[in-house]
Amino acid sequence: MNKLKENKFVKKLLQEKRLLVLLALILFFSLLLPGKFFTANNFRNILYSISLQGIMICGATFAVLLAGIDRTVSGTAALAGAACCTTIVNFGFSWQGILLGVLLGLLMGALSGLFHGIVLSRFEIPAFLLTLATSEILYGLVQNITGNQLINVMNAKAFNWVGSSRILGIPVPVYILAVCFAFTYIVLNKTVYGRYIYCVGGNKQAAKLSGINVKKVTIIAYTISGIMGALSGLVLSSMNQQASASQAKGYENDVLAAIVVGGVSLRGGEGTIQGAMVGALLIGVLTNGLQLLGIDPVYHDLIKGIIIIFSVAVDMYANYKKSGLKRDGFFKRHKKVKTHA
């Protein structure tokens, strides 16, 4: 019986191609960088480096599973960080100011997500265009709040503890990521709402006909994404001990890359948070390895872009194969049909 279970586990493990790619990538860099890459300290650095994007991924996955997208995760993070740090400074770095600042930051994220959920559920606006536009609006608000100046909170020791401390040798942001991951996993896999997410993302019209409140599902999903984005912004401000007008800019690209690489379909209704997190680790390991090799950071974005294109192409091809449709060869000419007058 135990052997049967072990064989099933090994078989399931082998089916997780992305996990095998991750292990192969770790082996590759370990052989290429002996004594540098495969160390406990380096793996802690990798986890620490992906913690912010990982928290964003836990929220943004809800939107992608609905066949949508949330490109405001970075803007929401910047707004939450700016609101929090400004409040802390105004309250003289007191614990009351820290508590109020954190709550205000999370509220900013919730309101941002709520707005997107309401607009998307009531109007036929593409999620990509809406969140792209509101991302610019959010950064505009951040500029007004900060006055394009750094908001320094070095004196707020209790707030900065989150970004700079370790528990049992592991950075605190990694624990926050673990909690967010556990929350997302439970919601998507163990709740009725999680089933609704997959139903709506897979076929919105069928979900409506089956009695699912699509508007409510959409609003909750984007609100969760907004809160997670805000939380990552608070952690980032704690790490940097400051807030700025351009904070977290560009993070949305890494988040999207990890989600797509992790096998969450942009068509909605397919994928897991486990896969998305493996995607985050893949990109984290790749970036870390390239840095240790001394490759110019300019090429990192180029490589990430290629990975995104490749992953989307694989996703589209997999969906096409599942549909059972037959396609002619690319270079095959179609015969012209003659028409008779």
Side-chain angles (χ1 to χ4, degrees):
M1 190 69 180
N2 288 334
K3 272 191 174 182
L4 185 62
K5 285 183 178 180
E6 284 176 10
N7 290 335
K8 283 184 177 180
F9 176 76
V10 172
K11 189 176 179 182
K12 192 174 181 180
L13 186 64
L14 290 172
Q15 288 174 345
E16 294 292 336
K17 295 187 179 79
R18 290 172 188 85
L19 188 57
L20 292 176
V21 171
L22 175 61
L23 294 173
L25 198 60
I26 290 172
L27 179 62
F28 172 75
F29 283 123
S30 298
L31 294 173
L32 209 59
L33 298 160
K36 287 185 178 180
F37 181 83
F38 200 80
T39 64
N41 187 53
N42 190 50
F43 278 105
R44 277 195 294 266
N45 291 337
I46 293 171
L47 289 174
Y48 183 73
S49 68
I50 69 165
S51 58
L52 293 172
Q53 290 91 335
I55 294 169
M56 291 179 180
I57 287 166
C58 289
T61 298
F62 284 91
V64 177
L65 285 172
L66 286 177
I69 196 171
D70 188 358
R71 288 188 60 84
T72 63
V73 285
S74 56
T76 302
L79 180 60
C84 178
C85 290
T86 302
T87 304
I88 291 172
V89 171
N90 290 336
F91 276 78
F93 306 101
S94 64
W95 68 265
Q96 294 95 332
I98 293 171
L99 179 61
L100 185 61
V102 169
L103 292 175
L104 183 61
L106 293 175
L107 178 62
M108 293 292 102
L111 290 175
S112 173
L114 183 65
F115 170 77
H116 292 122
I118 291 172
V119 173
L120 290 171
S121 62
R122 292 185 177 274
F123 305 100
E124 295 297 323
I125 301 175
F128 178 86
L129 293 178
L130 176 65
T131 56
L132 181 64
T134 51
S135 180
E136 296 301 318
I137 294 172
L138 291 175
Y139 271 109
L141 290 173
V142 175
Q143 288 178 2
N144 285 323
I145 292 172
T146 62
N148 281 327
Q149 301 293 321
L150 291 176
I151 309 298
N152 195 311
V153 290
M154 288 181 68
N155 293 329
K157 292 181 181 180
F159 178 71
N160 298 330
W161 177 87
V162 173
S164 60
S165 298
R166 295 186 176 193
I167 299 174
L168 300 175
I170 298 173
V172 173
V174 176
Y175 287 102
I176 296 173
L177 170 59
V179 171
C180 293
F181 172 80
F183 168 81
T184 305
Y185 177 83
I186 291 169
V187 170
L188 291 178
N189 295 279
K190 306 294 181 181
T191 66
V192 174
Y193 176 74
R195 291 197 290 273
Y196 287 172
I197 284 279
Y198 283 97
C199 288
V200 174
N203 192 322
K204 187 184 289 187
Q205 294 304 319
K208 283 181 181 179
L209 292 173
S210 63
I212 296 174
N213 189 333
V214 175
K215 289 182 179 180
K216 186 177 179 181
V217 170
T218 304
I219 290 170
I220 293 173
Y222 277 89
T223 301
I224 291 173
S225 182
I227 292 172
M228 293 285 190
L231 179 59
S232 68
L234 297 177
V235 175
L236 178 58
S237 291
S238 176
M239 287 178 176
N240 296 334
Q241 300 183 11
Q242 63 184 22
S244 68
S246 60
Q247 186 165 274
K249 204 151 197 174
Y251 278 36
E252 70 277 5
N253 296 326
D254 289 340
V255 169
L256 179 60
I259 289 173
V260 174
V261 169
V264 181
S265 176
L266 293 175
R267 294 178 175 227
E270 187 177 339
T272 65
I273 184 60
Q274 307 95 287
M277 209 52 63
V278 169
L281 284 169
L282 267 168
I283 292 175
V285 167
L286 181 63
T287 303
N288 179 265
L290 293 174
Q291 287 173 346
L292 291 177
L293 286 170
I295 294 174
D296 196 312
V298 173
Y299 297 105
H300 295 186
D301 290 333
L302 174 65
I303 294 169
K304 287 175 189 176
I306 293 171
I307 289 172
I308 293 174
I309 293 171
F310 177 76
S311 299
V312 171
V314 170
D315 174 50
M316 296 293 286
Y317 181 74
N319 280 303
Y320 183 85
K321 291 288 284 182
K322 284 179 184 178
S323 68
L325 298 173
K326 186 179 179 182
R327 183 177 65 178
D328 289 331
F330 184 77
F331 295 102
K332 187 176 179 180
R333 292 182 179 180
H334 293 275
K335 292 181 180 179
K336 291 183 179 180
V337 179
K338 293 183 179 180
T339 56
H340 299 281

